[in-house]
Amino acid sequence: MSDQPAYRFAVNVTPKPGILDPQGRAVEKSLPHLGISGVSAVRVGRRVELTVQAADATAARAVVDRLASELLSNPLMELFDVEVLA
Amino acid sequence: MSDQPAYRFAVNVTPKPGILDPQGRAVEKSLPHLGISGVSAVRVGRRVELTVQAADATAARAVVDRLASELLSNPLMELFDVEVLA
């Protein structure tokens, strides 16, 4: 395993459009206290960065996709996308 | 305000290197139960997407930078970076 190449990814998980996002509302309500205006449509999600060792980039990506859909996101309420990091 | 152009950003907030990340450890410990191996260095952070209306892109970016450092992240324990979305 340890002689396989390592790939670094980020998985961005965000609430689906239409799904209530209480953390986003909380941020919006805090803005006037900071004297900030003009900010809207705040959505709060998660960002998970991880390293995968696999035979090649395609195999590594398959592991990340599985992890993102089975462990890191709730497919009923959230969307995810996978980013390849340098 | 509403006649100003709108810009969409994402703020990625991650635990600083060396800072304990219990959520990342929890993900790593779940992997064997899913039959997944070869995954390491898992770091769990937040991703906040938002729209800013401002005079121009530079002014909008300044609002996001202030929000990221004063409200969305804890500068003692977390790093943030700002992404310009389409």
Side-chain angles (χ1 to χ4, degrees), chain A residues 6-78:
Chain A
Y7 303 89
R8 186 96 181 142
F9 296 91
V11 179
N12 297 318
V13 180
T14 45
K16 280 189 182 174
I19 294 284
L20 194 66
D21 174 16
Q23 291 183 90
R25 292 300 81 67
V27 170
E28 289 169 1
K29 285 182 180 172
S30 302
L31 299 172
H33 303 292
L34 286 173
I36 292 177
S37 63
V39 174
S40 61
V42 180
R43 307 292 278 169
V44 178
R46 289 184 303 289
R47 178 177 175 91
V48 183
E49 298 182 355
L50 59 142
T51 297
V52 182
Q53 281 191 290
D56 56 34
T58 305
R61 175 60 184 256
V63 169
V64 176
D65 283 341
R66 197 181 147 213
L67 200 52
S69 63
E70 293 184 21
L71 182 66
L72 303 178
S73 71
N74 172 348
L76 288 178
M77 301 175 63
E78 295 171 325

Side-chain angles (χ1 to χ4, degrees), chain A residues 1 8 12-14 23 26-28 30-31 34-54 63 66-67 70-72 81 83, chain B residues 1 8 12-14 23 26-28 30-31 34-54 63 66-67 70-72 81 83:
Chain A
M1 180 59 71
R8 186 96 181 142
N12 297 318
V13 180
T14 45
Q23 291 183 90
V27 170
E28 289 169 1
S30 302
L31 299 172
L34 286 173
I36 292 177
S37 63
V39 174
S40 61
V42 180
R43 307 292 278 169
V44 178
R46 289 184 303 289
R47 178 177 175 91
V48 183
E49 298 182 355
L50 59 142
T51 297
V52 182
Q53 281 191 290
V63 169
R66 197 181 147 213
L67 200 52
E70 293 184 21
L71 182 66
L72 303 178
D81 73 59
E83 218 176 281
Chain B
M1 181 57 71
R8 186 97 180 141
N12 297 318
V13 180
T14 45
Q23 292 183 91
V27 170
E28 288 170 0
S30 302
L31 299 172
L34 285 172
I36 291 178
S37 63
V39 174
S40 61
V42 179
R43 306 292 279 169
V44 178
R46 292 183 302 289
R47 179 177 175 90
V48 182
E49 299 183 353
L50 60 144
T51 297
V52 182
Q53 282 190 290
V63 169
R66 198 181 146 214
L67 201 52
E70 294 184 19
L71 183 66
L72 302 178
D81 74 58
E83 219 177 280

